[in-house]
Amino acid sequence: MARNGKANGKGNAKLAAVWVGKKLKRKEDPRLIQGTSHYTDDLKLPRMLFCAFTRSPMAHAEIRAIRTDAARALPGVVGVFTAHDLTGLGMVPCAIQMPGLNLPPHPVLATERVRYVGEPVAAVVAENLYTARDAAEAIEVDYEPLPVVVNMEKALEKDSPVIHQQFRTNRAFTHALKNGDIQSAFKKADRVVKQRVINQRLAPVAMEPRAVLGEYLPGENRLTVWSATQIPHLLRTQISVMVGLPETAVRVIAPEVGGGFGSKLNVYAEEGLVPWLAMKLGRPIKWAETRRENITSTIHGRDTINDLELALKKDGRILGLRVRILADMGAYHQLLTPLIPQLTALMQAGCYKIPAIDIEIQGVFTNKMSTDAYRGAGRPEATYNIERIMDVAAHELGMDPVELRIKNFPQAKEFPFTTVTGLVYDSAKYQESIKRALRLSGYDSLRRRQKSGWKNGKYYGVGVSTYVEICAIGPSAATPAGGWESGTVRIEPTGKVTVLTGASPHGQGQETTFAQLIADELGIHPEDVNVVHGDTLAVPYGIGTFGSRATAVGGTAAYLATQKLKTKMARLAAHLLGAKPADISFGRGRLSGKGSKKSISFGELVMAAYTARNIPAGFEPGLEATHFFEPSNFTFPFGAHIASVEVDGETGEVKIDKYVAVDDCGNVINPMLVDGQIHGGIAQGMGQAMWEELIYNEEGQIVNGTMMDYALPKAHLLPEFTLDRTVTPTPVNPMGVKGVGEAGTIASTPCVVNAVCDALSVLGVKHIDMPLKPERVWRAMQQAQASAQLEPQPNDTPSSSRAKRGISVSEKAARSKA
Amino acid sequence: MKKELIELKVNGRMRELAVAPSKVLLEVLREDLQLTGSKRGCDDSSCGACTVLVDGTPMLSCTLLAASCQEQEITTVEGISEHGSLAAIQKAYGDRGGAQCGYCTPGFIITVKHLLSVNPNPSDEEIREALSGNLCRCTGYSQMYEAIKAAIEAEQRGLAAL
């Protein structure tokens, strides 16, 4: 890969990339494919006890009494704990501070009230898991039911039950983002397009449920906590605050972690309580979440109601965007809950030039589990909003949706591009990605098929989404707990290299990609680079893995630490070779002086740094360097996705027959891993569009709270994905990498919904809320047909005129604009 | 609950175990035999992470009582290697990026191993159908298909070379 070399070590000639850019097999895989790796629940310590929770079956109630006698009497029960027993244990933390935020106390176990189904009320510790669970069931709790509110609009009404009485309202916060003259934008508009879209509540469902194992050794005053987490260091800080130990006495280990998607980017009640219980009882304690607990009591994603108004000129030029968002917080704020909708506001302009914007968000408490970061965290919602309203606008203006998009893109030469929401997009060529996607999908022929299909009672649809996302999170000024990352590179005496990263990968493969990166820098083999993560005793303080940041921020930290080492190595090599440091160059396994007349092997040089018998004056022995990298900006990956669907006119069943994704995440270290991230992201976004929806009924009960009922994307439901990429390196980091963990999820949801609505536009269907289950699609078709019969549509309505026009102009438009 | 003495043949080795009649096979494998490769993902036989072969048939060990497997032959991911090295499907998973977080991987490996043993040359549709009982949240299944196709090709090349 061609890399921007600005931050390279001074004077060190750049090696050609040998490993970076290769589809190197993952170093993680041998242990994973043989089942010999260890996730938290695979660990077993001597004298270990098991923990289970009694959780509220009520969405809103007063706790009148808790009777634990029967549970305590069960043989094998070691302890039963309720809120009253937890003296000295702190609250569940929220890291977000903002003006006017209502931040309720969030106890580890419910005190006088329960506020959602699944809230922990009591904890049992027993000699084995079965006994712990039996005892948790034997605890009797007297609940006095209170009125329940699960619907955000009802929660804001005057007579609604109030979830936290001290606030006298269920409004958690209001947040506004306004820029430009919105009044005049709407006054000058030829057309104002309005649509309400609902971003339904989702369950992250990482395949590995959460698990926590705590062990306290009083002699050493050492609390060790193994947890399925994405943020071991931040968790360590919070655990030390919660249990009241100095941070130096707490060690957090994130062993193998089985997926997170944001659900393990948090600090949960169990992560404070289980270690605290281990301290109290003097024995190791393990808790492993059941899947039912995972769905009721691990954070959820999305759950927003969005009212959109777009003001346009009749030629399609956007003048202004007005957005009103209700965002469901659930009953409490978890670590980042109130932050997520603010990310929606920041990214609401998408990849378009919008002169004026007016966004207002209200966070709302309801009797549900908290929402928080779920793959994309606010950006999928932003992208869904803007990409849906663009399609609605295109249909109302009688324009091709591709043409409308291209018309409003900034040109490549306008980057860095300042958006109406105040962000500075680093680099992009939006025209290029859509051009490729049109070609790969055979867009014009898809439109021809659609036109002839409509004549024959077949509903083919084409959906487009052009997206930009915010990654490499991020500059510290814009994040609640620091947005930098740490990297340490240590060359051991034998020449093997240890990389310590504060990032905490859990499936993304950075043990491999970081090894590729460092191997190229040092002229060695990736097999000789061992990447260590997820142990706070081994790794300098770090932030963790989320927000598509691990490579762009954490990788850069390791890269820059390597540059420090190279400068030091060049100094020692110069001393040993009688050359100038500036003349030393790194080759494969050797360092040479000018003209390569004299050289020293990598191994000899490393050993010389450790034996330290012949070193320059003032040279610090050893070879280890650390860099804390603070990024100057976010990065903004982008791309264009196109989906082609067929909707069954009789049943409403949707078949996705083609899916094309053209993504740009900057430079690519390992194409196989980048493709894997895109595939998985698309599947997850498609899951939201087509199948997934976590349903609370009016009583606040989850009606589909098992994996049997919650419809995750299965192998036979997904189409084949056609992938392509453009490469626009970012100037924000020296490697030019942007991040790719969330792109697919952000792009695919609106793409699929746009395709289905496009297929049914001929019937006058304007919008269908997700998930696009056959019943919902069928009803939308029936409704549209019924209203068409009541009010015969004139022949010149936009949808029918588009149907008649047939062949689209978009490919031509793309060619001329690009 | 009183324990029962049972005999299981696990990965080719006879094991005598005292287990509670209510204990599921998954927990016996993980707790009593320290074979933690098989994973617990759903607790209700809907995700496939706990798939093992019982007398050659893929079964969901999270809802199967260990006591009901008396004297049966159990194969877990730990026992799937061929002639002391990785099974073709394991190798192909590594070559093609079939695993990401790895939690669902053992279950998939067992499922695919069984598919290829009963149907050495499955169609694309048959592969997708066979995989539909296992869930993966990371990969979108794409690179798994590639891996499976690569494993089939490797097997056929191997057969042709004989």
PDB file of all heavy atoms in Angstrom, chain A residues 528-551:
ATOM      1  N   ASP A 528       7.065 -13.244  14.061  1.00  0.00           N
ATOM      2  CA  ASP A 528       7.930 -12.838  15.169  1.00  0.00           C
ATOM      3  C   ASP A 528       7.354 -11.670  15.967  1.00  0.00           C
ATOM      4  O   ASP A 528       8.021 -11.120  16.842  1.00  0.00           O
ATOM      5  CB  ASP A 528       9.329 -12.472  14.635  1.00  0.00           C
ATOM      6  CG  ASP A 528      10.057 -13.694  14.096  1.00  0.00           C
ATOM      7  OD1 ASP A 528       9.798 -14.806  14.619  1.00  0.00           O
ATOM      8  OD2 ASP A 528      10.836 -13.562  13.145  1.00  0.00           O
ATOM      9  N   VAL A 529       6.126 -11.280  15.623  1.00  0.00           N
ATOM     10  CA  VAL A 529       5.485 -10.175  16.342  1.00  0.00           C
ATOM     11  C   VAL A 529       4.285 -10.716  17.106  1.00  0.00           C
ATOM     12  O   VAL A 529       3.358 -11.285  16.510  1.00  0.00           O
ATOM     13  CB  VAL A 529       5.026  -9.061  15.377  1.00  0.00           C
ATOM     14  CG1 VAL A 529       4.406  -7.899  16.157  1.00  0.00           C
ATOM     15  CG2 VAL A 529       6.179  -8.576  14.508  1.00  0.00           C
ATOM     16  N   ASN A 530       4.310 -10.568  18.406  1.00  0.00           N
ATOM     17  CA  ASN A 530       3.217 -11.058  19.245  1.00  0.00           C
ATOM     18  C   ASN A 530       2.442  -9.867  19.806  1.00  0.00           C
ATOM     19  O   ASN A 530       3.007  -9.030  20.496  1.00  0.00           O
ATOM     20  CB  ASN A 530       3.784 -11.917  20.389  1.00  0.00           C
ATOM     21  CG  ASN A 530       2.680 -12.547  21.211  1.00  0.00           C
ATOM     22  OD1 ASN A 530       1.653 -12.959  20.663  1.00  0.00           O
ATOM     23  ND2 ASN A 530       2.876 -12.612  22.513  1.00  0.00           N
ATOM     24  N   VAL A 531       1.173  -9.779  19.482  1.00  0.00           N
ATOM     25  CA  VAL A 531       0.359  -8.635  19.913  1.00  0.00           C
ATOM     26  C   VAL A 531      -0.409  -9.015  21.172  1.00  0.00           C
ATOM     27  O   VAL A 531      -1.157  -9.987  21.187  1.00  0.00           O
ATOM     28  CB  VAL A 531      -0.607  -8.202  18.793  1.00  0.00           C
ATOM     29  CG1 VAL A 531      -1.467  -7.025  19.250  1.00  0.00           C
ATOM     30  CG2 VAL A 531       0.178  -7.824  17.536  1.00  0.00           C
ATOM     31  N   VAL A 532      -0.180  -8.259  22.231  1.00  0.00           N
ATOM     32  CA  VAL A 532      -0.804  -8.531  23.530  1.00  0.00           C
ATOM     33  C   VAL A 532      -1.839  -7.448  23.819  1.00  0.00           C
ATOM     34  O   VAL A 532      -1.569  -6.263  23.615  1.00  0.00           O
ATOM     35  CB  VAL A 532       0.264  -8.549  24.648  1.00  0.00           C
ATOM     36  CG1 VAL A 532      -0.370  -8.711  26.016  1.00  0.00           C
ATOM     37  CG2 VAL A 532       1.284  -9.647  24.385  1.00  0.00           C
ATOM     38  N   HIS A 533      -3.000  -7.858  24.262  1.00  0.00           N
ATOM     39  CA  HIS A 533      -4.063  -6.886  24.567  1.00  0.00           C
ATOM     40  C   HIS A 533      -4.942  -7.445  25.669  1.00  0.00           C
ATOM     41  O   HIS A 533      -4.899  -8.641  25.974  1.00  0.00           O
ATOM     42  CB  HIS A 533      -4.896  -6.598  23.311  1.00  0.00           C
ATOM     43  CG  HIS A 533      -5.485  -7.838  22.691  1.00  0.00           C
ATOM     44  ND1 HIS A 533      -6.662  -8.390  23.118  1.00  0.00           N
ATOM     45  CD2 HIS A 533      -5.037  -8.636  21.685  1.00  0.00           C
ATOM     46  CE1 HIS A 533      -6.936  -9.468  22.389  1.00  0.00           C
ATOM     47  NE2 HIS A 533      -5.961  -9.652  21.522  1.00  0.00           N
ATOM     48  N   GLY A 534      -5.742  -6.568  26.252  1.00  0.00           N
ATOM     49  CA  GLY A 534      -6.777  -7.047  27.161  1.00  0.00           C
ATOM     50  C   GLY A 534      -6.292  -7.474  28.530  1.00  0.00           C
ATOM     51  O   GLY A 534      -6.964  -8.245  29.197  1.00  0.00           O
ATOM     52  N   ASP A 535      -5.156  -7.003  28.988  1.00  0.00           N
ATOM     53  CA  ASP A 535      -4.703  -7.301  30.353  1.00  0.00           C
ATOM     54  C   ASP A 535      -4.108  -6.019  30.921  1.00  0.00           C
ATOM     55  O   ASP A 535      -3.051  -5.558  30.481  1.00  0.00           O
ATOM     56  CB  ASP A 535      -3.664  -8.426  30.326  1.00  0.00           C
ATOM     57  CG  ASP A 535      -3.187  -8.795  31.738  1.00  0.00           C
ATOM     58  OD1 ASP A 535      -3.472  -8.050  32.698  1.00  0.00           O
ATOM     59  OD2 ASP A 535      -2.525  -9.844  31.874  1.00  0.00           O
ATOM     60  N   THR A 536      -4.779  -5.451  31.903  1.00  0.00           N
ATOM     61  CA  THR A 536      -4.356  -4.125  32.383  1.00  0.00           C
ATOM     62  C   THR A 536      -3.038  -4.178  33.133  1.00  0.00           C
ATOM     63  O   THR A 536      -2.416  -3.142  33.347  1.00  0.00           O
ATOM     64  CB  THR A 536      -5.415  -3.486  33.293  1.00  0.00           C
ATOM     65  OG1 THR A 536      -5.574  -4.300  34.466  1.00  0.00           O
ATOM     66  CG2 THR A 536      -6.748  -3.345  32.588  1.00  0.00           C
ATOM     67  N   LEU A 537      -2.607  -5.382  33.564  1.00  0.00           N
ATOM     68  CA  LEU A 537      -1.321  -5.477  34.247  1.00  0.00           C
ATOM     69  C   LEU A 537      -0.172  -5.518  33.240  1.00  0.00           C
ATOM     70  O   LEU A 537       0.962  -5.195  33.567  1.00  0.00           O
ATOM     71  CB  LEU A 537      -1.291  -6.719  35.137  1.00  0.00           C
ATOM     72  CG  LEU A 537      -0.364  -6.675  36.345  1.00  0.00           C
ATOM     73  CD1 LEU A 537      -0.675  -5.503  37.250  1.00  0.00           C
ATOM     74  CD2 LEU A 537      -0.438  -7.977  37.124  1.00  0.00           C
ATOM     75  N   ALA A 538      -0.470  -5.933  32.014  1.00  0.00           N
ATOM     76  CA  ALA A 538       0.572  -6.063  30.993  1.00  0.00           C
ATOM     77  C   ALA A 538       0.650  -4.840  30.092  1.00  0.00           C
ATOM     78  O   ALA A 538       1.714  -4.478  29.616  1.00  0.00           O
ATOM     79  CB  ALA A 538       0.315  -7.308  30.144  1.00  0.00           C
ATOM     80  N   VAL A 539      -0.498  -4.220  29.858  1.00  0.00           N
ATOM     81  CA  VAL A 539      -0.600  -3.197  28.820  1.00  0.00           C
ATOM     82  C   VAL A 539      -0.752  -1.823  29.464  1.00  0.00           C
ATOM     83  O   VAL A 539      -1.545  -1.670  30.390  1.00  0.00           O
ATOM     84  CB  VAL A 539      -1.829  -3.489  27.919  1.00  0.00           C
ATOM     85  CG1 VAL A 539      -1.981  -2.432  26.850  1.00  0.00           C
ATOM     86  CG2 VAL A 539      -1.727  -4.877  27.302  1.00  0.00           C
ATOM     87  N   PRO A 540      -0.007  -0.810  28.999  1.00  0.00           N
ATOM     88  CA  PRO A 540      -0.234   0.553  29.510  1.00  0.00           C
ATOM     89  C   PRO A 540      -1.685   0.981  29.294  1.00  0.00           C
ATOM     90  O   PRO A 540      -2.363   0.449  28.406  1.00  0.00           O
ATOM     91  CB  PRO A 540       0.709   1.413  28.660  1.00  0.00           C
ATOM     92  CG  PRO A 540       1.770   0.485  28.205  1.00  0.00           C
ATOM     93  CD  PRO A 540       1.101  -0.856  28.043  1.00  0.00           C
ATOM     94  N   TYR A 541      -2.114   1.949  30.083  1.00  0.00           N
ATOM     95  CA  TYR A 541      -3.517   2.374  30.033  1.00  0.00           C
ATOM     96  C   TYR A 541      -3.960   2.615  28.590  1.00  0.00           C
ATOM     97  O   TYR A 541      -3.224   3.192  27.784  1.00  0.00           O
ATOM     98  CB  TYR A 541      -3.731   3.650  30.851  1.00  0.00           C
ATOM     99  CG  TYR A 541      -5.171   3.785  31.329  1.00  0.00           C
ATOM    100  CD1 TYR A 541      -5.557   3.287  32.569  1.00  0.00           C
ATOM    101  CD2 TYR A 541      -6.147   4.368  30.523  1.00  0.00           C
ATOM    102  CE1 TYR A 541      -6.863   3.376  33.010  1.00  0.00           C
ATOM    103  CE2 TYR A 541      -7.466   4.459  30.960  1.00  0.00           C
ATOM    104  CZ  TYR A 541      -7.819   3.965  32.208  1.00  0.00           C
ATOM    105  OH  TYR A 541      -9.120   4.046  32.619  1.00  0.00           O
ATOM    106  N   GLY A 542      -5.143   2.130  28.275  1.00  0.00           N
ATOM    107  CA  GLY A 542      -5.672   2.293  26.927  1.00  0.00           C
ATOM    108  C   GLY A 542      -7.159   2.568  26.986  1.00  0.00           C
ATOM    109  O   GLY A 542      -7.772   2.534  28.061  1.00  0.00           O
ATOM    110  N   ILE A 543      -7.742   2.820  25.847  1.00  0.00           N
ATOM    111  CA  ILE A 543      -9.160   3.176  25.808  1.00  0.00           C
ATOM    112  C   ILE A 543     -10.021   1.984  25.394  1.00  0.00           C
ATOM    113  O   ILE A 543     -11.048   1.714  25.988  1.00  0.00           O
ATOM    114  CB  ILE A 543      -9.396   4.384  24.875  1.00  0.00           C
ATOM    115  CG1 ILE A 543      -8.533   5.584  25.314  1.00  0.00           C
ATOM    116  CG2 ILE A 543     -10.869   4.781  24.853  1.00  0.00           C
ATOM    117  CD1 ILE A 543      -8.809   6.131  26.685  1.00  0.00           C
ATOM    118  N   GLY A 544      -9.603   1.255  24.374  1.00  0.00           N
ATOM    119  CA  GLY A 544     -10.358   0.053  24.022  1.00  0.00           C
ATOM    120  C   GLY A 544     -10.793   0.031  22.570  1.00  0.00           C
ATOM    121  O   GLY A 544     -10.383   0.877  21.769  1.00  0.00           O
ATOM    122  N   THR A 545     -11.619  -0.959  22.257  1.00  0.00           N
ATOM    123  CA  THR A 545     -12.049  -1.156  20.876  1.00  0.00           C
ATOM    124  C   THR A 545     -13.531  -0.854  20.723  1.00  0.00           C
ATOM    125  O   THR A 545     -14.375  -1.523  21.315  1.00  0.00           O
ATOM    126  CB  THR A 545     -11.740  -2.602  20.425  1.00  0.00           C
ATOM    127  OG1 THR A 545     -10.328  -2.743  20.298  1.00  0.00           O
ATOM    128  CG2 THR A 545     -12.378  -2.904  19.073  1.00  0.00           C
ATOM    129  N   PHE A 546     -13.803   0.185  19.961  1.00  0.00           N
ATOM    130  CA  PHE A 546     -15.174   0.583  19.611  1.00  0.00           C
ATOM    131  C   PHE A 546     -15.053   1.714  18.610  1.00  0.00           C
ATOM    132  O   PHE A 546     -13.950   2.250  18.383  1.00  0.00           O
ATOM    133  CB  PHE A 546     -15.958   1.051  20.856  1.00  0.00           C
ATOM    134  CG  PHE A 546     -15.287   2.144  21.639  1.00  0.00           C
ATOM    135  CD1 PHE A 546     -15.501   3.485  21.325  1.00  0.00           C
ATOM    136  CD2 PHE A 546     -14.418   1.852  22.672  1.00  0.00           C
ATOM    137  CE1 PHE A 546     -14.867   4.505  22.033  1.00  0.00           C
ATOM    138  CE2 PHE A 546     -13.775   2.866  23.388  1.00  0.00           C
ATOM    139  CZ  PHE A 546     -14.006   4.195  23.065  1.00  0.00           C
ATOM    140  N   GLY A 547     -16.145   2.092  17.980  1.00  0.00           N
ATOM    141  CA  GLY A 547     -16.131   3.261  17.093  1.00  0.00           C
ATOM    142  C   GLY A 547     -15.110   3.137  15.977  1.00  0.00           C
ATOM    143  O   GLY A 547     -14.516   4.139  15.570  1.00  0.00           O
ATOM    144  N   SER A 548     -14.897   1.921  15.470  1.00  0.00           N
ATOM    145  CA  SER A 548     -13.964   1.682  14.357  1.00  0.00           C
ATOM    146  C   SER A 548     -12.656   2.440  14.578  1.00  0.00           C
ATOM    147  O   SER A 548     -12.186   3.169  13.721  1.00  0.00           O
ATOM    148  CB  SER A 548     -14.613   2.111  13.029  1.00  0.00           C
ATOM    149  OG  SER A 548     -15.808   1.397  12.824  1.00  0.00           O
ATOM    150  N   ARG A 549     -12.078   2.244  15.789  1.00  0.00           N
ATOM    151  CA  ARG A 549     -10.923   3.035  16.184  1.00  0.00           C
ATOM    152  C   ARG A 549      -9.651   2.227  16.366  1.00  0.00           C
ATOM    153  O   ARG A 549      -8.548   2.793  16.418  1.00  0.00           O
ATOM    154  CB  ARG A 549     -11.224   3.778  17.492  1.00  0.00           C
ATOM    155  CG  ARG A 549     -11.313   2.858  18.726  1.00  0.00           C
ATOM    156  CD  ARG A 549     -11.832   3.598  19.948  1.00  0.00           C
ATOM    157  NE  ARG A 549     -11.047   4.755  20.276  1.00  0.00           N
ATOM    158  CZ  ARG A 549      -9.912   4.740  20.989  1.00  0.00           C
ATOM    159  NH1 ARG A 549      -9.441   3.607  21.432  1.00  0.00           N
ATOM    160  NH2 ARG A 549      -9.279   5.851  21.244  1.00  0.00           N
ATOM    161  N   ALA A 550      -9.752   0.897  16.497  1.00  0.00           N
ATOM    162  CA  ALA A 550      -8.606   0.119  16.977  1.00  0.00           C
ATOM    163  C   ALA A 550      -7.393   0.282  16.065  1.00  0.00           C
ATOM    164  O   ALA A 550      -6.282   0.512  16.541  1.00  0.00           O
ATOM    165  CB  ALA A 550      -8.987  -1.348  17.125  1.00  0.00           C
ATOM    166  N   THR A 551      -7.575   0.158  14.759  1.00  0.00           N
ATOM    167  CA  THR A 551      -6.431   0.249  13.852  1.00  0.00           C
ATOM    168  C   THR A 551      -6.037   1.704  13.613  1.00  0.00           C
ATOM    169  O   THR A 551      -4.858   2.058  13.665  1.00  0.00           O
ATOM    170  CB  THR A 551      -6.746  -0.456  12.523  1.00  0.00           C
ATOM    171  OG1 THR A 551      -7.080  -1.808  12.824  1.00  0.00           O
ATOM    172  CG2 THR A 551      -5.554  -0.429  11.578  1.00  0.00           C
TER     173      THR A 551
END
